[in-house]
Amino acid sequence: MRWSQLFIPTLRDAPADAEAASHALLVRGGFIRQLHAGHYSLLPLGWRVHNKVANIVRQEMNAIGGQEFLLPTMHPASIWKRSGRWDTMGEIMFRLTDRRHNDNALGITHEEIFATVATELTSYKELPQLWYQIQTKFRDEARPKSGLLRVREFAMKDSYSFDIDTDGLDAQFDAHHGAYTRIFERLGLAAIPVEASSGAMGGKDSIEFMVPCPAGEDDVVHCPNCDYAGNVEKATSTLPPITDDAPPAAPERFPTPGVRTIAALEEMDGGAAADRQIKTMVMVIDGEIVLALLRGDHQLNLQKLIDSTGGIDIRPGTPEEAKEALGAMPGSLGAVGVADLRVVADEALKGRTNLTTGANEDDWHYRGVDIDRDIPVDQWADLREVAAGEACPRCGTPLAMLRCVEAGHIFKLGTLYAETFGVTVSDTDGNARPVVMGSYGIGIGRNMATIAETHHDDAGIVWPVAVAPYEVVITVLKLDDETLGAAEELYRGLRARGVDALLDDRDARAGVKFADAELIGIPYRLTVGPKALADGEVEWTSRATGETTRIAVDDAVGTVASTIEGEAGPMPRVPLG
Ligand SMILES: [Zn+2]
């Protein structure tokens, strides 16, 4: 392609609201333009990168036996009501009404829709099946931001596996784990597989592939020694043991005027260290008041509470609700002797004695509390959020906290959707059995942004060859017949070798051409100018290292083509024309 004929609207300045590097660089490089918050137009350069990312995903899905589909984006509400997710998805789901007053949803994901297709499976002999699509999803994010990292409309590869039993599911899950590992390697992303909460997907085992990067929105707990990793919604740590003194025969009430916080009680004369306090949180779970207890210096992780209680609609209670349920305002709450409310306690409190907690009367606390003796705990659960520096649960090394982008997610769904939608097949004995499903996703645009996020410098993006919009740019320094003729010959030679080459034949200064090529991140540049040509040479520059060498014109096509083939990855490239 000739740059002079292309639409590559590069900009000197980033949009004012661009906080993430990928957002700024993809806009400045002429890859994307915002239509409105969370919705982006992909311009030709952006669409080329998008397609290359999608093709890598497609190749790896096909390699594990995937069959490509394309399902509708708009779905009847009835399907989502059948699974119950019409209600549980809440505001994240876009809904619209058609002219017949029927409710419809714009798809966030496609478990329900693929399950309806899968009802045509009849026999175990047809299994396993692995179905996927690369298709547009909608998600009404509260705060769309950061360019393509958090949007409301995006292309996603979602796949669904169907097996006769959990052994089959395990094999498909492992195959996806392998395929995703290869995809992220080919995209140049150092993704860490981490244990995750299944959240609204209703699954069992799930693994997220997280890429460390400051623009991310997820915290991942990571052990630098043994590679233990977990999303904060799931990760655990080992706490140093605490020895408690023997408690008094019964808890003692004592006045704590004006003391409303863990820290204030810690500082008060006759108070207690935070790790000797019980923090009592009033939560409303599906309309029921529940008390969540944690050690005073620990933080509740809401997702852990959701996962351990099976609650769907969870929120902190208001001070008024706390007062009504327990008789005191937050700051003096406790669970000693509470009989009529459900109490869920964090495992770090197990076996503890001689603790201090609120007495359910403003400005009064109890000390000498023995949790087994004095508090009717209904459920012990892991509720606390791990903090950096705590000990790795596997090897004891201090844990680190990494900001990450979630680049992919794989779930074991089980038979939930198959039972709901009647996806049954006959087994070897002729009995009808629900199929066992898995669900697996990778956002295409988000991965594209994450690559830009992790591959850039002050001058612009540094695309890996495998996803670069063009693999090499031939920059012509002078538009006379001889120089342009030599450049065009190189261009034809490279195209014949299957290289995605771009000929910069614009009537512009060399500095402008170099700066644009660096901004849009083309991995290699051949510079063709009269001076080097006189010596029978051209300049060969690597975007990643900045290194420039002179090579013979006659060797240029062979050198460039073999370098790019070497870096492009294991599978045949799909040149985009
Ligand atoms: Zn470790």
Side-chain angles (χ1 to χ4, degrees), residues 284-323:
V284 182
I285 303 181
D286 299 330
E288 180 201 350
I289 299 272
V290 175
L291 302 184
L293 309 188
L294 286 118
R295 210 169 85 180
D297 56 336
H298 289 160
Q299 301 302 321
L300 172 70
N301 183 287
L302 200 60
Q303 188 65 45
K304 285 187 172 180
L305 184 64
I306 291 171
D307 291 347
S308 54
T309 59
I312 291 167
D313 182 23
I314 294 199
R315 63 173 175 85
T318 62
E320 293 70 32
E321 283 168 327
K323 177 98 185 169

Side-chain angles (χ1 to χ4, degrees), residues 361-425:
E361 183 179 341
D362 291 339
D363 299 329
W364 287 86
H365 279 74
Y366 279 119
R367 59 164 74 102
V369 174
D370 179 320
I371 196 154
D372 288 331
R373 179 191 66 192
D374 304 323
I375 295 181
V377 174
D378 296 295
Q379 185 186 355
W380 291 97
D382 174 24
L383 301 179
R384 99 191 139 84
E385 188 158 302
V386 169
E390 291 174 359
C392 170
R394 290 197 192 140
C395 76
T397 304
L399 292 165
M401 196 69 83
L402 298 174
R403 247 0 332 235
C404 287
V405 168
E406 182 195 330
H409 204 160
I410 58 179
F411 296 93
K412 290 183 183 175
L413 289 175
T415 55
L416 185 72
Y417 291 95
E419 284 165 15
T420 304
F421 289 92
V423 186
T424 55
V425 296

Side-chain angles (χ1 to χ4, degrees), residues 236-313:
T236 61
S237 64
T238 305
L239 296 172
I242 295 185
T243 312
D244 293 315
D245 296 334
E252 295 169 13
R253 266 164 58 91
F254 67 108
T256 50
V259 169
R260 289 286 180 275
T261 63
I262 301 286
L265 187 57
E266 201 168 19
E267 282 163 20
M268 194 191 106
D269 270 353
D275 62 6
R276 296 188 180 278
Q277 298 185 37
I278 302 171
K279 185 192 288 188
T280 306
M281 303 179 73
V282 173
M283 305 297 294
V284 182
I285 303 181
D286 299 330
E288 180 201 350
I289 299 272
V290 175
L291 302 184
L293 309 188
L294 286 118
R295 210 169 85 180
D297 56 336
H298 289 160
Q299 301 302 321
L300 172 70
N301 183 287
L302 200 60
Q303 188 65 45
K304 285 187 172 180
L305 184 64
I306 291 171
D307 291 347
S308 54
T309 59
I312 291 167
D313 182 23

